Amino acid sequence: MTLFESVFAGNDAVYGLTEGAINQAIEKYGADKAVSFPDTAYSLPCYYAVTGTKVGTLAELKDALAVVKTLMTREKRTNDVFMSGVATALCAEFIEVLKYIDGAVPYEAPCYGHLADAVIRELGVPLVTGDIPGVAVILGKAPSAQEAADLVKSYQSQGILITLVGDVIDQLEEVGYKTGANVRVIPLGKDVTAVIHVVSVALRAALIFGNVKPGDAATLMDYTMKRVPAFVNAFAPLNDVIVACGAGAIALGFPVITNQEDVARVPKSLICQKDISKWNATSLEARDIKIKITNIDIPVAFASAFEGEIIRRKDMQVEFDGSRVDCAELVHTCDASEVEDHKITVVGPEVDDMELGSKNSIAYVVKVAGKNMQPDFEPVIERKFHNYINCIEGVYHTGQRDMQRIRISKDAFAAGFKIKHIGEVLYTQVKNEFDAVVDKCEVTIYTDPAECTRIRHEVAIPIFEKRDDRLNTLTDESVDVYYSCILCQAFSPSHVCVVTPERLGLCGAVSWLDAKATHELDPNGPCQVITKERPIDENLGSYEDVDEAVKKLSQGALEHVTLYSIMQDPMTSCGCFECICGIEPFSNGVVIANREYAGMTPLGMTFSEMASMTGGGVQTPGFMGHGKHFISSKKFMKAEGGIERIVWMPKELKEFVAERLNNTAKELYGIENFTDMIGDETIATDPETLVGFLTEKGHPALALDPMM
Ligand code: SF4
Ligand code: NI
Ligand code: NI
C-alpha cells in the first residue's frame, strides 16, 4: 500500500468507529447529553482550535463529525493526506470525550488521559527557559521492555517531557520504571486514540500563549510547527490507523521516527531508523532541539526531569530537616583571595556514618568571588539551590534559607552518592549559570551539629536579616530603573512583563532582583533596563519610558502599559500566570483564583475559564494575570484603590498570602486581619452569598466606586 492509501484507510477506519460510537451514545443518553473534558475552558480543545466551534452536546458532536467528513477528501495530494491526518486526530478526540460522559473517570493510574489547562500553563516557563527542551510522544510496543526503558531514560535525562501511548506503558511497568508528571514521564492511555491528549496540549498552547484565533487552522499549524518542539517515536508494526495519526502529527510539524522499514519516507518528517538506540539523536536532529549538556562528576543522574521526584520515608537513606535541627544554605560574597576555586570540604560525618533513616543537620556555605558580583545577587543564586539539588536523581529538596529539607534515597546512597556530591553539584551549577558574575566558587558543607548551629545562628541568620531589611526598602520609588522580561515571547510573541520591586513577573519566578541579575548575566538577553524618568501618571504607574519600551519589545503590538491598573492599559498576560484576577461587579471588587484551584469562583467561572479571558500578550481590561506575591503588594491595582478591592480567593491561597496581605492592609488602611473579610469557596461560590458575607463583615470594597 502507498502512504496515501494507508492514511486514507486508517482515517476511514477511525471515522467509522467514531460514527458508531456517537450513534450508540445518542441512543443511550439522548442527543442533548452534555459532553466535555474536565478542567478546560476550550471545550473539545482540538476541534475548537481547528474549527472555532465549541461542542457541548452529543447532537453537536454529531454535527462536528459531519464537518470532519469534509476534511476527508481522497485526492492523492499531500494536503489531502495531511487533512485526513487531522480528521483522524479529531475523530480520536471525539472517541476520547465520550469516555468522560457523566463525569466518568475513565483513566486510572498510571495513565492520565486528558490533561487540564492548568498543566499546560505550568509548562509555560520551563518550556521558554529551555528547561524542558522538547516533548516526545512514544507510541506502540518496543521490541523489548528494556529498550523502551532505555529510550525513555535517554529523553528524561535531557529534561524532555515524555508522553506514552499504548503497550509501552505496560512495558515500563514491567521493568518497574517510575512514571508520573512529576518526573516528566506521562502515560496517557493504552488505546491509540489517547494520543489526542498530547495533541490537545500543543493546540491549547497555541490558544493560551499564542493568541491564535480558534478556527484559524493555518496559523494554528504554523504555531505548532514553529513553537511546539514535539516529535513522535512510533514502534513497528505500524497499522493504518497509526499511520493516519502520524500524518496528523506531521501536519502540525511534528516529525515521526519509526523502525518500520517498508514505510514511505518523507524527508525530515517521516524517518525510518532501525536502531532504536539512535532514536534520541535522530529525533532531536529532526526537530532541531539543542540540549544543554551538564556534566557533573556524581554517581547518579542530574537532569531537570528529576526536579519533581518525591522520596518517601520508606525509600530514604537519611534526611536533613531545617524545621527540626539547625540547617542553613547560604551564598556569601568574598574577596577573591578568600576563595579557592572548586574546593569542596565536608566538615562532619558523611552519609556512611549516619544511621539509616536518621534526621541530621546540614549547612552549606557557597563562597563566591567575582569582579561583577554584587550582594544583591546572593539571594538570586541561593534560590536556585532548590532547583539544583532537586535535579539530582534520588535527592529531594524543599524550602530555603535555614528551613530547607533534604532527603537522600536508598538508591542514590547505594549508587555511591555522598554529601560531597551536593557540593559538586552546587559548584558546577553556580559556575555554569552565573559565570558572568562568579569567577571563583568554593563550597563548605557542615554536617557536624555544633558547626551547623554556629553557621545558622552566627553567620546565616544575621545575613538573612540584613537582606530582608534591604528587600523591605526596595520599593518602586526607591529604584532608578525597572526591567522588562520577554522570555515568554517564545510562546507569546507580543507579551512583555515589566518587572518592578513591588511587582514581580506574572509567572512568580522573576523578581526585580532576578531580572537585574539576568540582565547582568546576559546584557542582550530577555531582561532589559527600563528607565523611569518621564512619568505620565504616578498613580496609574504610567511612564513614557515604559510605553516606549513595551512598544519596541512587543514589535509595536502594545502602545501603552500601566503598572498599577487592571482597567486602563493593564499589563498583558502570556498564559503562565500563577493567579488571575477579574472584576466582581456586585461587590465592586475583584476575585482572584490561583492555578492550583480547580473549583468554581463567584464569577461563575473556574480558574481555567477566567484564565481563558486573557493571555497571548493581549490587554483585557478587567482581567489580569499576576504572581502570588503581587497580592500583598501596595501596588496591587493601586489605581483602583488597591488590595481593599479583593473580595474572594480560594482558601489555600488566602492562607498562603495572609500574613503579608494583613500587614499591608494594616499599613494602608488600618484594617486588622483583613483576610477575615475576604470570602473563599467554603463561604461562597456565587455572588449573592458573597455580597451577603461581605456586608456582614463590613468589607471596604462595598463602599468604593464601581470599577466599570
Ligand atoms: Fe514570562 Fe513574564 Fe515570567 Fe518573564 S517574567 S518568564 S516574560 S511571565
Ligand atoms: Ni567572607
Ligand atoms: Ni509565560
Side-chain angles (χ1 to χ4, degrees), residues 124-125 128 209 488 492 495 506-507 574-577:
V125 170
V128 297
F209 300 112
C488 283
S492 293
H495 172 69
L506 54 84
C507 56
C574 43
C576 60
F577 38 84

Side-chain angles (χ1 to χ4, degrees), residues 187-488:
L188 292 173
K190 292 172 191 174
D191 299 337
V192 64
T193 46
V195 74
I196 198 61
H197 300 305
V198 57
V199 176
S200 171
V201 169
L203 299 189
R204 272 181 286 165
L207 303 183
I208 290 174
F209 300 112
N211 196 31
V212 173
K213 294 276 164 299
D216 184 354
T219 309
L220 183 72
M221 290 183 198
D222 187 59
Y223 184 93
T224 53
M225 176 165 319
K226 291 201 177 122
R227 299 181 189 272
V228 181
F231 57 86
V232 179
N233 283 179
F235 292 112
L238 305 182
N239 59 30
D240 291 345
V241 172
I242 295 172
V243 173
C245 289
I250 294 170
L252 297 175
F254 308 153
V256 178
I257 286 81
T258 178
N259 52 340
Q260 175 122 341
E261 283 183 82
D262 56 357
V263 76
R265 302 176 193 195
V266 182
K268 277 234 141 198
S269 293
L270 183 54
I271 300 165
C272 174
Q273 171 56 262
K274 280 220 66 175
D275 184 352
I276 289 163
S277 71
K278 291 191 179 140
W279 278 15
N280 183 305
T282 308
S283 302
L284 299 194
E285 196 195 322
R287 197 66 183 104
D288 206 13
I289 295 171
K290 306 261 184 303
I291 303 290
K292 281 187 273 181
I293 300 173
T294 325
N295 280 322
I296 305 184
D297 193 11
I298 56 174
V300 291
F302 180 89
S304 55
F306 297 111
E307 206 183 330
E309 183 192 27
I310 292 165
I311 291 160
R312 299 187 200 291
R313 181 163 293 279
K314 68 172 178 30
D315 299 324
M316 111 195 161
Q317 179 71 25
V318 291
E319 80 177 326
F320 307 91
D321 185 352
S323 69
R324 298 295 186 80
V325 285
D326 286 321
C327 291
E329 46 185 36
L330 185 71
V331 172
H332 184 187
T333 313
C334 296
D335 190 80
S337 63
E338 299 173 285
V339 184
E340 185 179 330
D341 192 46
H342 206 160
K343 182 172 174 195
I344 291 159
T345 319
V346 177
V347 181
E350 253 298 351
V351 199
D352 325 61
D353 311 319
M354 296 174 185
E355 230 173 278
L356 178 69
S358 59
K359 210 183 267 299
N360 304 273
S361 301
I362 194 165
Y364 26 94
V365 178
V366 178
K367 289 203 285 180
V368 295
K371 284 184 293 299
N372 301 323
M373 182 63 199
Q374 300 177 23
D376 263 358
F377 302 151
E378 287 179 359
V380 173
I381 300 177
E382 212 172 272
R383 245 198 18 221
K384 297 285 285 184
F385 288 2
H386 167 66
N387 161 279
Y388 298 162
I389 296 175
N390 245 344
C391 287
I392 305 170
E393 185 182 15
V395 181
Y396 162 83
H397 178 284
T398 56
Q400 54 174 328
R401 287 190 159 188
D402 56 349
M403 282 295 153
Q404 89 269 39
R405 185 152 163 213
I406 297 178
R407 281 183 174 177
I408 297 175
S409 74
K410 288 177 186 162
D411 288 349
F413 176 71
F417 189 83
K418 302 256 189 306
I419 301 286
K420 67 170 191 229
H421 294 122
I422 293 178
E424 201 61 55
V425 165
L426 294 175
Y427 169 80
T428 312
Q429 285 300 85
V430 168
K431 286 291 289 258
N432 272 347
E433 293 196 4
F434 295 93
D435 59 334
V437 295
V438 174
D439 302 332
K440 287 164 88 180
C441 174
E442 172 179 343
V443 186
T444 310
I445 306 180
Y446 302 88
T447 52
D448 177 86
E451 279 294 281
C452 287
T453 301
R454 179 183 71 81
I455 293 290
R456 180 184 185 207
H457 291 282
E458 291 170 32
V459 183
I461 289 177
I463 292 179
F464 295 152
E465 280 170 357
K466 234 168 78 189
R467 267 193 218 155
D468 287 342
D469 290 343
R470 156 97 174 124
L471 278 179
N472 287 333
T473 60
L474 262 189
T475 59
D476 289 3
E477 291 77 18
S478 74
V479 297
D480 296 329
V481 297
Y482 300 144
Y483 291 93
S484 58
C485 181
I486 55 163
L487 254 181
C488 283

